[in-house]
Amino acid sequence: MEVDLQLCRFHGPEILELRIPDIIRRHGGPISLTQILAGISDAPSPDITCLERIMRVLVRKKIFSAQEASNSGDTLYGLTHSSRWLLTESGSEPSLAPLVVMENHPVRMAPWHYLSQCVREGGSAFVKAHGQDVWEFGLENPEFNKRFNEGMACTAKTVMSGVISGYKDGFDNIGSVVDVGGGTGQTISEIVKSYPHIKGINFDLPHVVAAAPKYEGVTNIGGDMFQEIPQADAVLMKWVLHDWSDEDCIKILNKCKKAIPEGRGKVIIVEIVLKPEGQGIFDYTGLVVDLNMLATCNGGRERTEPEWKKLLQEAGFPRYNIITVNALPSVIEAYPI
């Protein structure tokens, strides 16, 4: 999942609104600016110079490739590993296009303009921008809620592919898993698909699970994780705890402890483990995502291993393992004994 998230934030809308990756793919190979413009629907007065300047930056960042045609001298633009993640047409899975659309939604962009105000006086950038937190906003705005859920769901396949392949034995002796904050159920469905013996429970706010499709082996339950979590052999949380402050995370983890069997249950946390000085493929991206949490969630943050250790110990999970997988987040196994 090696896509420049900063670039997608600044250039994602035009890439996807114009469907440039899909246009190139349809042609079956690199094409000229003129051919790209011909493939753009609803373009009454196309500006080739404008397109050329956009593509120049995207080529520099390796979102597209560029080569000179031998016969005409025109520059031909092709897909790269990164732009293939932005395909949207049928048969183009997996795709991160819904995530890019969600991250560039005006609702998500507005809080970034309040970060300097947060430095001066504290508080939540999202609340300053919209007058309520992201969860309250999603409840009252179905269109944004739909975009948010689609963005989260599209990451499930790519992330869970890395998790399932790198955490093979972790699901072997588990009869049931409750995915807390599981959205529309894509994550738990990927687990059940790979481990059919597992009874999957997708648990999220009622208005979220109301939009969840039916997956074989998965039961949808609506509720509030701060009140009670359904019983299961293991609790899974993917990109949930990074939304909350340490104080709120401890409350959530305490509810997790009550949901699993005493003495043999575990909590499986799929989250970024920050390495601020790391040189790994995902380490810089983790820092960018941390800023995203700063802009979006009140108290949310990515955490380093020492910060995870402190949080888990304070929540009553003295023992943990970190398993690195081929994905942006890692798997953190947490045990209450």
Side-chain angles (χ1 to χ4, degrees), residues 41-115:
S41 59
D42 190 26
S45 304
D47 187 331
I48 196 168
T49 302
C50 178
L51 178 61
E52 189 276 332
R53 290 166 67 183
I54 292 171
M55 295 298 286
R56 181 169 58 190
V57 175
L58 298 176
V59 168
R60 176 64 181 265
K61 294 297 293 185
K62 296 182 172 55
I63 301 298
F64 295 105
S65 64
Q67 62 188 63
E68 189 173 309
S70 56
N71 52 351
S72 65
D74 290 340
T75 299
L76 301 181
Y77 298 89
L79 298 176
T80 65
H81 174 73
S82 294
S83 49
R84 289 185 182 279
W85 286 101
L86 302 177
L87 294 164
T88 64
E89 292 178 347
S90 178
S92 301
E93 294 289 345
S95 173
L96 291 179
L99 178 66
V100 175
V101 170
M102 183 268 286
E103 290 292 354
N104 285 280
H105 193 287
V107 169
R108 295 278 286 188
M109 294 293 287
W112 287 83
H113 298 284
Y114 289 83
L115 288 181

Side-chain angles (χ1 to χ4, degrees), residues 64 92 95 123-124 128 136-137 259 316:
F64 295 105
S92 301
S95 173
S124 162
K128 290 178 187 295
E136 294 167 334
F137 191 93

Side-chain angles (χ1 to χ4, degrees), residues 139 145 149 183 203-212 220-225:
L139 178 61
N145 184 58
N149 289 334
F203 179 68
D204 211 311
L205 294 169
H207 75 275
V208 175
V209 298
N220 291 308
I221 298 178
D224 183 347
M225 64 186 174

